[in-house]
Amino acid sequence: MIFNRGKPRHARPRRPWATMLATLLTTIALVFVPGTALADSGMDVSKWQGCVGSSQAATAKASGVNFAFVKVTEGNGYTDSVADCTMQSLKANGIRRGVYHFARPDLGNSPEAEADWFIGQTRGYVNDGVIPVLDWEPSGSYVTWSWWALRWLQRVESAWGVKPLIYTSASVIKMTDWTAVANANYGLWVAGYPRGYTGETLRNPGSDRAAYIRSSDVAGKLPDCCCPMRHI
């Protein structure tokens, strides 16, 4: 499960760090061997929480957090000012890390331009045990542009030498054909908001999963039921 601190991207009132850590939850399970799902506990952070310092990271680690996803870039020109501070604290405390890019096709950017911006801002994390992620939640009809997402994923994979994950909501999975993305073996991170966003609940992806997963050996396959949630 993920203690989701980084969504939404809009400004919110600052709250104590420990409270923020338990505010939102999502579920992620990555399959490394077909039929074997591994679940773990982690958090999702962005600039709205400030730098997660070493003492905060140590507290999170002691509470059972083993991985974290950190927002690094958005569109074609934005870099999160505190991302690297958080990334270094997480690394120092033995917390596995991922970095994500918030896609903005609605601004007219090409997937290659946004991928190149992400790549340029994350070169220091390549070959350092970090997972790249595409945060896919554009507005309006852009959300159905799976071709855009695929081209971003392919370009980042070529530069990083690893397959990125794609983050999106269960409802988005049903809006368009994700066959090409799934068949290319890009892992899926499905969002859920059991504590509050209107119209969203943490759920078993069920048929939504089937809309993304087209074969039994896809690395992003989700378990048949969501793992239990735990607050810190």
Side-chain angles (χ1 to χ4, degrees), residues 37-53:
L38 303 177
D40 213 338
S41 298
M43 60 186 182
D44 169 359
V45 299
S46 70
K47 72 170 186 178
W48 302 115
Q49 293 78 48
C51 171
V52 176

Side-chain angles (χ1 to χ4, degrees), residues 103-108 136-149 168 171-178:
R104 296 301 306 271
D106 55 302
L107 297 181
W136 186 251
E137 42 186 326
S139 60
S141 62
Y142 297 102
V143 78
T144 66
W145 285 15
S146 58
W147 61 268
W148 196 106
T168 194
S171 59
V172 169
I173 298 171
K174 296 184 291 186
M175 290 181 180
T176 192
D177 184 1
W178 290 96

Side-chain angles (χ1 to χ4, degrees), residues 2-79:
I2 296 173
F3 300 92
N4 190 332
R5 303 172 59 207
K7 307 289 184 295
R9 62 188 176 87
H10 306 294
R12 296 172 295 183
R14 294 293 297 273
R15 282 175 278 181
W17 180 84
T19 301
M20 289 300 299
L21 189 60
T23 299
L24 302 173
L25 303 174
T26 52
T27 297
I28 184 171
L30 304 181
V31 174
F32 299 94
V33 178
T36 303
L38 303 177
D40 213 338
S41 298
M43 60 186 182
D44 169 359
V45 299
S46 70
K47 72 170 186 178
W48 302 115
Q49 293 78 48
C51 171
V52 176
S54 184
S55 62
Q56 295 171 322
T59 299
K61 179 71 172 180
S63 299
V65 170
N66 292 312
F67 69 91
F69 287 101
V70 180
K71 180 178 178 178
V72 174
T73 57
E74 178 175 334
N76 183 18
Y78 171 81
T79 299

Side-chain angles (χ1 to χ4, degrees), residues 127-142:
N127 298 322
D128 197 30
V130 178
I131 301 173
V133 183
L134 175 62
D135 184 344
W136 186 251
E137 42 186 326
S139 60
S141 62
Y142 297 102

Side-chain angles (χ1 to χ4, degrees), residues 62-171:
S63 299
V65 170
N66 292 312
F67 69 91
F69 287 101
V70 180
K71 180 178 178 178
V72 174
T73 57
E74 178 175 334
N76 183 18
Y78 171 81
T79 299
D80 192 309
S81 60
V82 300
D84 191 62
C85 176
T86 295
M87 287 290 286
Q88 299 309 320
S89 296
L90 296 172
K91 181 178 181 179
N93 284 276
I95 296 176
R96 301 189 302 274
R97 301 164 298 158
V99 288
Y100 66 88
H101 171 81
F102 191 95
R104 296 301 306 271
D106 55 302
L107 297 181
N109 300 328
S110 72
E112 290 76 19
E114 292 205 11
D116 288 347
W117 177 253
F118 173 80
I119 292 164
Q121 299 300 302
T122 57
R123 293 189 187 282
Y125 306 137
V126 178
N127 298 322
D128 197 30
V130 178
I131 301 173
V133 183
L134 175 62
D135 184 344
W136 186 251
E137 42 186 326
S139 60
S141 62
Y142 297 102
V143 78
T144 66
W145 285 15
S146 58
W147 61 268
W148 196 106
L150 176 62
R151 281 165 50 181
W152 188 97
L153 294 164
Q154 290 172 329
R155 197 167 184 93
V156 171
E157 178 185 2
S158 179
W160 274 60
V162 299
K163 287 187 175 293
L165 300 178
I166 181 169
Y167 164 95
T168 194
S169 66
S171 59

